[in-house]
Amino acid sequence: MPAPAAVGHRIVHSGPHLTGHTLIDTPVRALLADVADLAPLHVTPALHVVDAARELLPDVPHVACFDTVFHKDLPVQARTYAVPERWRAEYGLRRYGFHGLSYSWALQRTAQALGRPVDNLQVVLVHMGGGCSACAVRNGHSVDTTMGLTPLEGLVMSRRSGSLDPGALLWLQRRHGLSTDELDDTLHRHSGLLGLSGTSGDTRDLVRARAEGDAAAALALATFTLSCRRGIASMAASLDRLDALVFTGEIGEDQPEVREEICSALTVLGVRGGLLVPELEDLMREGLRRINQAVRSVPVLVVATGEIQQIAVETRRVLGVADRTR
């Protein structure tokens, strides 16, 4: 391989002070460390990689590519929590949104597939993997998303709980004496599909277990697909129309049972089941597939996850290097 000319790093959370993808220097590194507690599963390990890469490759530029940047222009009503002004102004409590690199890639592929410009599309994008979220895009801009201040809010995920009644957390602390550390560990690592099933956070395992009569696996999948439908429907409420529903992420790409169960129960949005099941090898080679068969239905697409490719795109853009890969 040729020597690298630059290194692009996926950093999940930009915090309040960084609103664009940027070169990593000492001040930027300090800002990233300051917001690591907002996405502890992601940012802290990523910064270890940043430090190691900068030490090993000190003579090339390193670029931070943020998942939050895609959502930086969320309308004020979509990014605001209904809490006192002091919490919002002094503590910086607001919604950021995540999976932005994945959404950037999926949006461009969707526009190509439909033969329409990005600035004339209204779509719901759904990223389903270890983390899961949905996003409403109007004319090329994120206008709503299910994740918030941290990547813990929103849809049920592999091991993360997704949204939970905040009163439940207060009750667990007061009535049962759970500490902050216990809540943090349980909600991030032992909840979601794993917590529901008791056996696995992997939908492939759960689909097989359900077929063998595992009631906990069946409940986990039913809860997960309902959570996804709720998220998709709430995102559609921020659009004037629905030009397409787009799945990406590991589960979105490779779990046809989950896609089918989500879409077959979204007829209220004009989405229909009976979806095609593309071979994964074909999807990876071609990059996307339109999978709806019903003629009078909202287009349903699967886009192969492109976070790595999008990091390359954004790194070149920051450095002012022409991108000849697209």
Side-chain angles (χ1 to χ4, degrees):
M1 296 292 290
V7 181
H9 298 265
R10 181 195 177 203
I11 307 292
V12 164
H13 211 308
S14 64
H17 302 298
L18 299 169
T19 58
H21 311 298
T22 187
L23 282 167
I24 301 173
D25 57 16
T26 299
V28 167
R29 175 62 178 79
L31 288 172
L32 296 178
D34 190 53
V35 299
D37 59 344
L38 290 174
L41 291 183
H42 301 88
V43 175
T44 299
L47 291 182
H48 291 319
V49 175
V50 166
D51 293 342
R54 292 178 74 198
E55 182 177 346
L56 290 166
L57 298 166
D59 299 323
V60 302
H62 292 256
V63 176
C65 300
F66 298 109
D67 272 313
T68 47
V69 165
F70 186 74
H71 309 286
K72 67 183 178 65
D73 295 321
L74 276 176
V76 63
Q77 68 271 22
R79 67 173 185 262
T80 301
Y81 285 115
V83 295
E85 194 272 341
R86 180 187 173 193
W87 287 18
R88 290 179 275 122
E90 186 174 333
Y91 303 150
L93 197 62
R94 53 155 291 185
R95 305 181 76 249
Y96 283 90
F98 302 93
H99 293 131
L101 295 165
S102 176
Y103 288 144
S104 295
W105 183 260
L107 180 60
Q108 294 294 330
R109 304 285 82 71
T110 298
Q112 292 174 3
L114 298 179
R116 296 174 60 175
V118 167
D119 60 7
N120 189 32
L121 276 181
Q122 298 198 36
V123 298
V124 172
L125 308 173
V126 189
H127 180 103
M128 298 189 299
C132 302
S133 71
C135 174
V137 175
R138 179 201 295 266
N139 303 332
H141 300 282
S142 171
V143 294
D144 204 358
T145 188
T146 54
M147 282 182 168
L149 176 72
T150 77
L152 190 58
E153 186 179 359
L155 310 184
V156 171
M157 304 176 222
S158 178
R159 294 169 178 262
R160 280 174 263 166
S161 64
S163 291
L164 197 65
D165 178 357
L169 303 180
L170 297 173
W171 177 76
L172 287 168
Q173 288 181 309
R174 290 170 175 163
R175 183 70 177 267
H176 296 284
L178 269 67
S179 69
T180 302
D181 287 343
E182 287 177 290
L183 291 174
D184 185 301
D185 184 57
T186 301
L187 295 176
H188 278 102
R189 296 178 175 84
H190 305 287
S191 298
L193 289 168
L194 176 62
L196 287 164
S197 69
T199 56
S200 177
D202 190 320
T203 55
R204 294 168 295 186
D205 297 335
L206 298 177
V207 167
R208 287 191 292 266
R210 180 178 63 180
E212 296 168 358
D214 186 326
L219 174 62
L221 288 167
T223 303
F224 177 71
T225 54
L226 175 59
S227 171
C228 291
R229 294 197 301 274
R230 286 171 170 164
I232 291 165
S234 69
M235 294 301 99
S238 291
L239 303 175
D240 301 319
R241 63 181 189 272
L242 185 57
D243 294 328
L245 173 62
V246 183
F247 292 100
T248 190
E250 295 93 334
I251 298 172
E253 295 169 2
D254 192 26
Q255 199 68 69
E257 296 88 350
V258 169
R259 294 194 302 259
E260 182 66 32
E261 288 167 36
I262 291 171
C263 291
S264 62
L266 279 177
T267 54
V268 68
L269 297 181
V271 177
R272 301 287 186 273
L275 303 173
L276 297 169
V277 182
E279 292 291 334
L280 187 59
E281 287 185 4
D282 295 338
L283 176 62
M284 293 299 104
R285 183 178 63 254
E286 298 169 15
L288 60 88
R289 276 291 182 92
R290 182 168 173 170
I291 59 173
N292 62 295
Q293 296 190 86
V295 176
R296 302 187 66 180
S297 68
V298 169
V300 179
L301 288 82
V302 180
V303 175
T305 309
E307 288 166 316
I308 292 174
Q309 297 95 317
Q310 193 64 35
I311 289 169
V313 169
E314 303 299 351
T315 298
R316 291 187 180 96
R317 185 175 290 136
V318 168
L319 299 176
V321 177
D323 182 4
R324 298 183 176 87
T325 65
R326 303 180 71 174

